[in-house]
Amino acid sequence: MKSSPTSHFPILISARSIQRRIPQLARLIQQAFANDPHWALISILNGSYVFLADLGRALHKRGLTPPIDFLALSSYGAGTRSSGRIRVERLFTLDIRNRNILVVDDILDSGRTLAQARNLLKARGARSVRVCVLLDKQTRRKVEGKADFAGFTIPDHFVAGYGLDRDGHFRNLPHIVDLDPPL
Ligand code: 5GP
Ligand code: MG
């Protein structure tokens, strides 16, 4: 068998752990939104597309089918550090006025991306904005911001897989790999 090009990177979070965690997140989200007929999910592209697909189906198993739309923001270019500048690449078309929004993103790092998303959603009339991320790099926060729902807290290492990329690669891994493991 040919070895995968990522096989020399250690797995930080296995596919199994992710698949065990997602139904738990869905349960917490259900507790928060089940009685709200006006909530909606906004997924931040590109990194959250795999997480959203699994989380969305886990929510469906719990009887929840909120409207889902997408907001593409970019902060990185090809680097591995947040540039601090965030561009809106694609805006959702869903009318979010008076809706309680759950933002879904891959990872909370400096917090700038989610701060920008929060401002944008509020400016367009969202009643409230809560945040669900798969990964949380708590030690890296530059602007205030907490995830209401977080899958895993991870150290300050650059990671990829399960939607997260390095230069566009590795998004389709079922697990999370650590691209700067300790030497
Ligand atoms: P923030 O604006 O919170 O600094 O960064 C959030 C965005 O930066 C995430 O949505 C993600 O796209 C990217 N990012 C942050 N840390 C990592 C990482 O370790 N790996 C990858 N692939 N992207 C990251
Ligand atoms: Mg992202």
Side-chain angles (χ1 to χ4, degrees):
M1 199 172 77
K2 247 178 125 187
S3 74
S4 114
T6 58
S7 56
H8 56 292
F9 293 116
I11 293 179
L12 187 64
I13 306 172
S14 70
R16 262 184 83 173
S17 316
I18 295 172
Q19 296 307 326
R20 263 202 303 267
R21 183 67 180 132
I22 285 180
Q24 299 171 350
L25 290 173
R27 182 167 51 79
L28 297 172
I29 291 167
Q30 179 189 34
Q31 285 164 3
F33 290 96
N35 297 319
D36 181 352
H38 297 299
W39 72 298
L41 246 156
I42 298 287
S43 158
I44 311 291
L45 293 174
N46 298 329
S48 73
Y49 81 102
V50 179
F51 180 40
L52 176 79
D54 284 343
L55 182 66
R57 285 175 292 187
L59 290 170
H60 170 252
K61 279 196 183 150
R62 297 194 153 263
L64 299 174
T65 55
I68 298 176
D69 206 341
F70 300 89
L71 171 64
L73 298 175
S74 74
S75 63
Y76 266 31
T80 61
R81 284 287 170 194
S82 190
S83 66
R85 287 187 313 272
I86 290 149
R87 242 194 355 246
V88 177
E89 310 271 8
R90 176 194 188 278
L91 194 61
F92 48 85
T93 54
L94 184 72
D95 183 355
I96 61 163
R97 279 174 296 176
N98 294 319
R99 283 184 184 276
N100 296 309
I101 301 297
L102 181 64
V103 173
V104 175
D105 204 0
D106 51 359
I107 184 166
L108 180 51
D109 185 25
S110 73
R112 289 190 188 101
T113 301
L114 285 171
Q116 159 107 358
R118 198 184 288 276
N119 291 341
L120 195 150
L121 290 160
K122 285 280 194 181
R124 288 182 176 257
R127 180 183 298 162
S128 69
V129 179
R130 274 170 281 183
V131 168
C132 175
V133 291
L134 179 71
L135 306 175
D136 188 357
K137 282 186 193 168
Q138 279 173 0
T139 57
R140 290 256 307 150
R141 215 69 91 242
K142 295 282 183 296
V143 303
E144 211 183 309
K146 249 186 71 215
D148 300 273
F149 310 93
F152 303 90
T153 299
I154 62 164
D156 176 18
H157 291 193
F158 194 75
V159 298
Y162 199 73
L164 294 101
D165 71 310
R166 188 183 64 187
D167 300 342
H169 293 272
F170 306 151
R171 290 195 197 275
N172 59 333
L173 307 183
H175 50 253
I176 301 282
V177 287
D178 188 341
L179 298 185
D180 38 51
L183 295 173

